[in-house]
Amino acid sequence: KQWYQRRVTITAGGVKLIDLMLLFEKRLVPLREISRQISGVAVHISEDETLYKQWKSKYQGTFKTLFDEFGADYFKANATAEKDLPTDAANNGFQDRLKVLFAVQLACAYEVEECVNVAKAKFDAYKNGIEPKSEFKITMLNTVMSVEVTDDNDVIDNWNFLWKKFQNSDSASEQQTIYQALGLIQDKDTLKKFSEFCLDPTLVRRSDSLYILGRSIAQTKLGREVSWDFLVANWQRLTEEFTDALFAVDAYIAGVLSDFADQDKLDEITEFFSGQLESLGPGRAAYESALQSIKGNIGWLEKHKSAVQESVKTSLN
C-alpha cells in the first residue's frame, strides 16, 4: 500500500528515488516499477534529443548508486574478480540474482561510466574469443552498440564484427541477441545498410527480416526515422514479398510507427497510408493501433512535457 500510494509521484520527480529504491531493496517488483516509470518517460521524450539526454543525466546518479549497491561486485572488467551470481537455491536467491542483472542493465542503459567501461572491456575480450557470462551478454552488446559514433572510436568496426558473428551463428537465439544490438548503432548509413540486408534472403532469414526492421532498427529516434523512410521507399516490395507473414507484418508496422510523437509525423504517416489502405490487408488493425499510440504519445507530451522540463531544470540547477 505504501508503495502504491507513492508511485504516482515518480514522474514529477517529487521523491528522492534512490532512497525509495533502497527502501524497497528486498522487493524486486517495486524496484522494477520505479525504473519502468523513469524509462517510460524517457521513451515518451526520446523525440526531443536534448531533453532525452537531460532526463538520462538526471537519473544517472540514481542508477549509479543502484549499480554500486547491487551490481558492481558481479560485473567487472576482470571476470576472475567477479563474485558469483546468487543462485536460485539460496535464500531469496532468485530475487537477488535478478536485482544484480537489473542494476547492471540500468547502469549501462543510463551510461554510468563505470558500467559502460566494463561492458567495453568485456566486448574487447569477446572479440578475442572470450564469452561473457550469458546473463550479461545482452547488456554488453547493447551498451557497446549504443555508444555515440565518433572519429575516435571503433563503433563501426564493432558493428562489422557483430554482423559477421550474426552471419556465422547457427543459433537462432544468439542471432536474435545480436540483431537486437546491431539495430542500436547511431549511424544512419549503417542502419540503412542493415535495412537493405534484411531484404536479401542470403544474408537474413525471411522469418527475421521484418522483426529486425520493426523491432531492432526502430528502437531509437534515429532508427525510427531510417525505418520509416525505408518503409515508404520499399512498401510495394514489402507487401508483395511478405504476404504470407501476417504476424510479422503486424509487428513491423507497430514497431516502426508506434513510438513517433509529433503531429507532423502523424500527418506524414496518414497521408502516405491514405493511398495504401488496400495493401495493408490484415495489417490494417496494427496500423490503426499505431495511429492511436502516436496520438497518445502526442497527448502525453502536451500534458507532461513542461513538467519534465521543469524537473530536469531543477536537477541541473
Side-chain angles (χ1 to χ4, degrees), residues 129-251:
I130 302 174
E131 284 281 335
K133 290 178 180 175
S134 60
E135 294 88 349
F136 293 131
K137 188 169 185 176
I138 293 175
T139 295
M140 176 197 73
L141 296 180
N142 289 354
T143 301
V144 171
M145 284 295 99
S146 299
V147 172
E148 183 177 357
V149 177
T150 71
D151 293 335
D152 300 323
N153 64 29
D154 52 2
V155 179
I156 301 296
D157 289 341
N158 289 341
W159 192 95
N160 290 329
F161 167 81
L162 267 189
W163 171 247
K164 289 180 182 177
K165 292 281 285 187
F166 175 86
Q167 290 285 286
N168 294 330
S169 176
D170 294 325
S171 166
S173 61
E174 181 183 37
Q175 284 193 324
Q176 182 177 1
T177 296
I178 292 173
Y179 77 58
Q180 282 298 113
L182 288 171
L184 289 168
I185 190 167
Q186 294 300 285
D187 181 73
K188 191 172 186 177
D189 289 339
T190 303
L191 289 172
K192 286 181 176 180
K193 177 175 68 174
F194 192 24
S195 299
E196 294 291 344
F197 287 169
C198 289
L199 295 186
D200 185 342
T202 67
L203 298 176
V204 176
R205 291 179 303 182
R206 281 177 54 82
S207 58
D208 289 333
S209 295
L210 292 183
Y211 288 104
I212 293 174
L213 288 167
R215 292 182 176 176
S216 172
I217 296 173
Q219 291 177 85
T220 67
K221 173 178 169 56
L222 176 62
R224 282 193 292 277
E225 293 294 344
V226 170
S227 292
W228 167 244
D229 290 343
F230 187 81
L231 182 153
V232 171
N234 294 277
W235 181 251
Q236 183 174 350
R237 182 180 175 186
L238 288 164
T239 53
E240 290 173 354
E241 292 188 11
F242 293 95
T243 53
D244 58 340
L246 300 182
F247 291 110
V249 170
D250 285 359

Side-chain angles (χ1 to χ4, degrees), residues 275-303:
Q276 311 291 339
L277 293 179
E278 292 299 321
S279 65
L280 278 169
R284 184 161 182 171
Y287 166 68
E288 297 289 352
S289 178
L291 291 186
Q292 293 307 310
S293 293
I294 297 171
K295 292 174 183 177
N297 296 339
I298 293 170
W300 190 98
L301 286 173
E302 289 175 350
K303 185 175 181 179

